[in-house]
């Protein structure tokens, strides 16, 4: 279905460096890098442009908008979100999404990766010492920084800072005017190798989904639609929150199949039981 076709990568922040080799090797596509559509018009991490839609809608719009500029009907786009982990609230998290949109075959496949592997952070600093301490903690200069006068003020905003001399010059310029500076990690993939690795994991997840085909119509993307929890405890036999079964569904013909014991075990360890270990 994909071999020999052009695959447009709808990014402008260097993600093609990891995405292109994976998909060219796996599916025999020729990757084209977006150079015409400004993906930042749909939202920026630094906040000048707010993302107005949810992640999936933004991904879909990014794919379709990029395709409008090229004679191509196969496109992939990436979108990331950063903040507190949804269950471990004291840890920052990176949630990455990759969407493959095949307009020719009316197919949309999405992969998601949630990771605590991120340097996402931001704070106010008033001295060079505070700034350098912050920069050291976020793996600067291999990871870029952003400086601005205020978290929500973009009248002065320096992005993609990756050397100490430039960092101090621009810090002092803002500090003299405002007395303090807001410094934050630059989460654009080309300035954040840690994020790039999470995107790479997401890409491999997407490949796995694309290679999982419907047993009835052979369409790629035969994926989990629903998880039924209740795997019994090995000690008291009570239902736990672990997966008992998963239900797969084809996006095209809607064929469904249920797989019991998806984690290859029929009982759960008592340490995960709400009764044995409340």
């Amino acid at each position: 279905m994909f071999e020999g076709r052009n695959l447009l990568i709808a990014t402008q922040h260097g993600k093609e460096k990891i995405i292109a080799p994976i998909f060219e090797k796996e599916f025999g596509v020729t990757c084209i890098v977006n150079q015409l559509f400004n993906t930042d018009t749909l939202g920026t991490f630094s906040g000048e442009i707010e993302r107005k839609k949810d992640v999936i809608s933004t991904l879909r719009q990014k794919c379709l908008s990029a395709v409008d500029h090229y004679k191509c009907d196969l496109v992939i786009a990436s979108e990331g979100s950063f903040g507190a982990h949804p269950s471990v609230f004291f840890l920052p998290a990176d949630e990455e999404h990759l969407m493959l949109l095949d307009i020719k075959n009316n197919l949309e496949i999405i992969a998601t990766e949630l990771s605590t592997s991120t340097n996402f952070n931001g704070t106010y600093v008033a001295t060079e010492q505070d700034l350098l301490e912050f920069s050291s903690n976020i793996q600067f200069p291999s990871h870029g920084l952003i400086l601005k006068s205020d978290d929500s003020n973009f009248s002065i905003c320096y992005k993609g800072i990756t050397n100490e001399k430039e960092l101090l010059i621009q810090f002092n310029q803002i500090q003299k005017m405002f007395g303090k500076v807001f410094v934050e990690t630059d989460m654009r993939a080309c300035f954040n190798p840690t994020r790039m690795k999470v995107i790479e994991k997401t890409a491999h997840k997407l490949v796995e989904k694309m290679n999982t085909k419907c047993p009835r119509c052979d369409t790629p993307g035969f994926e989990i639609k629903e998880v039924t929890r209740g795997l019994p405890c090995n000690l008291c036999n009570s239902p736990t929150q672990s997966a008992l079964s998963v239900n797969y569904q084809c996006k095209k013909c809607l064929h469904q199949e249920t797989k019991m014991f998806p984690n290859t075990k029929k009982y759960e360890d008592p340490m995960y039981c709400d009764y044995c270990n409340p």
Side-chain angles (χ1 to χ4, degrees):
M1 183 177 288
F2 306 114
E3 188 172 358
R5 297 170 65 187
N6 289 332
L7 172 62
L8 174 63
I9 303 177
T11 182
Q12 60 183 129
H13 297 137
K15 299 170 191 173
E16 72 278 359
K17 294 177 182 177
I18 56 169
I19 293 176
I22 294 172
F23 284 83
E24 289 182 341
K25 179 181 179 181
E26 189 68 32
F27 299 110
V29 296
T30 299
C31 288
I32 304 169
V33 181
N34 165 59
Q35 296 178 335
L36 301 176
F37 172 63
N38 181 8
T39 57
D40 281 349
T41 59
L42 301 179
T44 59
F45 289 120
S46 47
E48 305 99 312
I49 302 174
E50 183 181 355
R51 188 170 67 194
K52 297 180 179 179
K53 299 182 178 181
D54 62 83
V55 172
I56 301 305
S57 298
T58 302
L59 270 174
R60 194 174 294 120
Q61 184 179 354
K62 186 180 290 188
C63 285
L64 293 172
S65 298
V67 163
D68 281 345
H69 293 81
Y70 293 84
K71 292 181 179 180
C72 186
D73 53 18
L74 187 64
V75 58
I76 189 170
S78 163
E79 191 74 11
S81 299
F82 300 89
H85 191 281
S87 56
V88 190
F89 305 117
F90 57 87
L91 288 178
D94 171 11
E95 187 170 33
E96 294 293 341
H97 304 264
L98 271 177
M99 174 184 287
L100 177 95
L101 188 62
D102 184 347
I103 299 172
K104 177 182 176 182
N105 294 294
N106 191 28
L107 186 64
E108 180 183 285
I109 305 174
I110 301 168
T112 302
E113 174 74 12
L114 178 65
S115 175
T116 56
S117 180
T118 179
N119 70 335
F120 175 67
N121 204 348
T123 189
Y124 285 96
V125 292
T127 67
E128 289 186 357
Q129 182 178 348
D130 291 340
L131 174 66
L132 294 176
E133 183 178 341
F134 176 87
S135 65
S136 175
N137 290 335
I138 60 92
Q139 303 174 65
F140 179 83
S142 64
H143 292 62
L145 285 172
I146 295 175
L147 295 179
K148 48 192 179 185
S149 58
D150 187 83
D151 182 20
S152 56
N153 187 338
F154 311 103
S155 57
I156 299 178
C157 182
Y158 298 113
K159 297 183 181 183
I161 306 170
T162 55
N163 72 75
E164 187 173 311
K165 181 179 179 180
E166 179 188 3
L167 179 69
L168 292 176
I169 289 173
Q170 294 175 343
F171 165 79
N172 283 304
Q173 178 185 338
I174 301 174
Q175 197 269 344
K176 287 177 182 177
M177 296 173 64
F178 298 94
K180 61 181 180 179
V181 179
F182 188 79
V183 55
E184 63 182 334
T185 47
D186 195 330
M187 302 313 298
R188 292 176 295 173
C190 53
F191 291 101
N192 202 296
T194 298
R195 183 187 174 209
M196 197 74 91
K197 290 179 182 178
V198 181
I199 295 173
E200 184 177 14
K201 287 184 179 180
T202 317
H204 285 295
K205 274 191 172 182
L206 183 57
V207 166
E208 185 178 351
K209 280 194 173 186
M210 292 167 65
N211 280 327
T212 306
K213 300 180 181 179
C214 173
R216 175 173 290 178
C217 71
D218 209 35
T219 298
F222 191 60
E223 62 183 12
I224 295 173
K225 177 179 175 62
E226 185 179 22
V227 177
T228 301
R229 306 193 180 277
L231 191 69
C233 172
N234 194 36
L235 183 63
C236 72
N237 212 43
S238 299
T240 68
Q241 291 300 310
S242 299
L244 176 66
S245 66
V246 291
N247 188 45
Y248 290 82
Q249 184 178 53
C250 176
K251 290 178 173 291
K252 181 153 286 190
C253 74
L254 302 182
H255 171 68
Q256 295 190 23
E257 285 189 6
T258 299
K259 179 181 179 181
M260 297 297 296
F261 314 117
N263 297 316
T264 66
K265 57 182 179 181
K266 295 185 177 181
Y267 295 93
E268 185 55 280
D269 190 299
M271 72 179 290
Y272 300 109
C273 176
D274 292 339
Y275 295 95
C276 298
N277 189 25

